[in-house]
Amino acid sequence: MATRAKDYYKTLGVAENASPDDIKKAYRTLAKQYHPDANPDNPGATERFKQISEAHRVLADPAQRKKYDQMRRFGGLGGFGAGAPGAGTGPAGARGFRFEDLSDIGGLGDIFSSIFEFGKRGAARKEGPTRGRNVEYLVEIPLKTAARGGKIRVTVPITEECAVCSGTGAAAGSRLNKCAECDGNGTVTFGQGSFAVSRPCPACMGRGEVPEEPCSACGGGGEVRTRKKISVNVPSGVEDGSKLRLSGQGERGPGGGPSGDLIIRFRVKEDRFFTREGLDLVCEVPINVAQAILGSRIRVRTIDEKKVVLKVPPGTQSGTTFRVRGHGVEKGDTRGDQLVIAKVETPDHLSDEGRQAAERLASTEGLKY
C-alpha cells in the first residue's frame, strides 16, 4: 500500500519549522489571492483555496500539527516504510506512532488502520496459506463459576474463509477472470481531501480476480459468517475482565492456513447474596434482637449452595463480621474465606407482650425510653 499527499508546508510555502505567525501570514496572503470571490472566472482557484484552508487548519492547531509532523516522519507522504527516517516495515516502523493519533486530521486514523488491515487480508489471499485472525468474545458467568471454575458452552460468531470455494469466491467449475475494476492489480486509488490512498480493490477484495460465477455459499465474497460452538473450561478464581486464550479456536486461516486463537474475556455477573473482595466472599445475614442479645445458632448459605451452622454469641452488635474459613474463592491451591456480616433487625411493630418484655429489659438495664 502506498499513500501520497500534498505537503501542507509546501501548500502554504513555509518551512517545516515555520512559526505560528509565519503560517498565519502565509495563509492570509494565499487566501486573499485565491479566494473564489476574487477569481470568478478561474475554476482552479476554488480547489486551490480549499487546499490552502485545509493546510492552515492543520498547521495552525498545535496538536494537529504535531500529529501531522509524526505522519510525515513516518513516511505518510511518500508511502509507508519507504524512505522515511526510522521507518520500518508497516506501521511498527514509527516508534510511538499510532494510526489513532491521526483521528483528528480528517479521519486519517480510521482510514489508514482499516486500509492496512484490509490490505493484509487481500495480500493473504494472493500469497497463499496464512494464519487466521484471532477472535475476542465476551462471556458472562455467574459468581459461583468464577469462584469454583467449571465447564461452559459458548457460541461464538466468527467470519471464516468459505469452505465451499476455499475462499476464491467462485462456484465449482467457474473460471476466475482478471478484475476489470483494478486491471488485475488488486488495488485501487481513492482520495480524501488532498490525500490519495491505494487500497485493496472492493470489486475483487484484493485478489485481482473475479469469479465468472459467484459461489452460492458466500455470494462471491470468499468468506461466510458462522457460529462456532465451543466448550470452555473456566479456571477457578477468574475475575471480571480476566482473559483465557484458546489456541486454534479462532478464525480459519485463508488458503488452508492455521486457525487463529479465541480469546475469551469474562464478565462476572453480580450475585444477589455474595460480593467478592479478593479471594473472600462477603454476605449479610439478618438476625433479630433476641438472637443478638441472647446468642443463637443460624444456618448460612455458602457459594457451593450448602449451609453451614454459625454460632452467634450473646451481645452481638449489628455489623459484627464472622469468618467462615475455606468457603471463599478458590485459586490454585488457595481458598479464601466467607465473611458473614450480622445485621440486627429491629421490629417496627411490637405486640403488647413484646413491648412489656422490652420495657422490663430497659428497666433492668437502667435504660431511659
Side-chain angles (χ1 to χ4, degrees):
M1 180 186 74
T3 62
R4 292 180 176 79
K6 292 182 180 180
D7 191 317
Y8 285 154
Y9 290 104
K10 289 183 179 180
T11 298
L12 294 182
V14 297
E16 295 179 15
N17 59 352
S19 67
D21 287 340
D22 290 337
I23 291 173
K24 184 186 296 184
K25 183 178 179 180
Y27 166 69
R28 287 178 175 175
T29 300
L30 293 171
K32 184 178 180 180
Q33 179 182 350
Y34 290 99
H35 197 283
D37 292 344
N39 299 271
D41 299 324
N42 183 4
T46 300
E47 182 60 31
R48 176 70 171 141
F49 180 77
K50 290 180 181 178
Q51 295 172 4
I52 294 166
S53 299
E54 182 179 317
H56 175 259
R57 178 174 59 83
V58 173
L59 299 183
D61 185 314
Q64 291 199 37
R65 182 178 180 181
K66 181 180 179 181
K67 294 175 183 179
Y68 175 72
D69 287 342
Q70 282 183 307
M71 185 181 68
R72 296 179 83 251
R73 287 193 295 272
F74 177 44
L77 301 182
F80 291 116
T89 57
R95 295 180 180 177
F97 179 85
R98 301 179 306 164
F99 287 121
E100 293 85 349
D101 292 336
L102 304 179
S103 59
D104 293 335
I105 309 179
L108 290 178
D110 292 338
I111 294 173
F112 287 141
S113 59
S114 62
I115 290 171
F116 181 73
E117 176 63 25
F118 191 10
K120 288 192 295 184
R121 292 167 60 186
R125 293 190 181 98
K126 297 177 72 174
E127 293 170 2
T130 186
R131 188 176 183 274
R133 289 167 292 186
N134 294 340
V135 176
E136 184 168 321
Y137 189 67
L138 177 67
V139 175
E140 285 193 333
I141 57 174
L143 181 59
K144 180 183 177 181
T145 304
R148 294 288 180 264
K151 183 174 290 188
I152 60 173
R153 295 280 294 177
V154 297
T155 302
V156 184
I158 60 175
T159 301
E160 289 189 328
E161 182 180 80
C162 178
V164 176
C165 65
S166 300
T168 65
S174 174
R175 293 187 307 172
L176 289 170
N177 300 322
K178 183 172 71 172
C179 177
E181 184 72 22
C182 64
D183 198 29
N185 294 319
T187 59
V188 293
T189 301
F190 72 97
Q192 173 160 327
S194 60
F195 287 88
V197 181
S198 293
R199 61 163 291 173
C201 174
C204 63
M205 305 295 286
R207 293 189 293 259
E209 298 175 315
V210 292
E212 199 171 50
E213 181 183 347
C215 170
S216 59
C218 64
E223 294 180 336
V224 292
R225 193 70 171 166
T226 185
R227 300 176 69 84
K228 191 174 184 179
K229 293 184 178 180
I230 300 172
S231 179
V232 179
N233 288 314
V234 181
S236 61
V238 299
E239 300 180 38
D240 199 73
S242 296
K243 293 183 179 181
L244 176 68
R245 181 181 290 268
L246 302 178
S247 180
Q249 295 293 337
E251 295 190 355
R252 186 186 307 166
S259 298
D261 298 338
L262 172 62
I263 302 168
I264 297 292
R265 180 163 58 90
F266 295 105
R267 175 182 290 166
V268 182
K269 298 178 183 178
E270 290 188 6
D271 191 90
R272 290 184 296 177
F273 187 63
F274 292 103
T275 57
R276 179 174 175 174
E277 292 182 2
L279 293 183
D280 293 335
L281 293 173
V282 184
C283 64
E284 193 175 79
V285 176
I287 59 174
N288 60 43
V289 174
Q291 289 175 309
I293 295 174
L294 303 175
S296 178
R297 289 179 180 271
I298 59 175
R299 294 171 65 84
V300 180
R301 180 169 66 86
T302 68
I303 194 69
D304 299 306
E305 298 180 0
K306 298 178 182 179
K307 289 189 176 182
V308 295
V309 177
L310 180 67
K311 182 179 179 180
V312 179
T316 294
Q317 304 296 310
S318 188
T320 300
T321 301
F322 301 94
R323 185 179 294 271
V324 183
R325 298 195 178 277
H327 284 276
V329 176
E330 180 179 342
K331 193 167 187 179
D333 297 329
T334 306
R335 262 202 190 191
D337 301 328
Q338 180 171 335
L339 305 180
V340 182
I341 302 174
K343 182 182 178 182
V344 179
E345 294 187 337
T346 304
D348 55 7
H349 178 74
L350 287 174
S351 64
D352 291 340
E353 183 179 353
R355 181 174 179 80
Q356 291 172 4
E359 289 174 350
R360 287 195 299 270
L361 174 64
S363 177
T364 302
E365 298 298 324
L367 302 176
K368 294 182 179 180
Y369 59 92

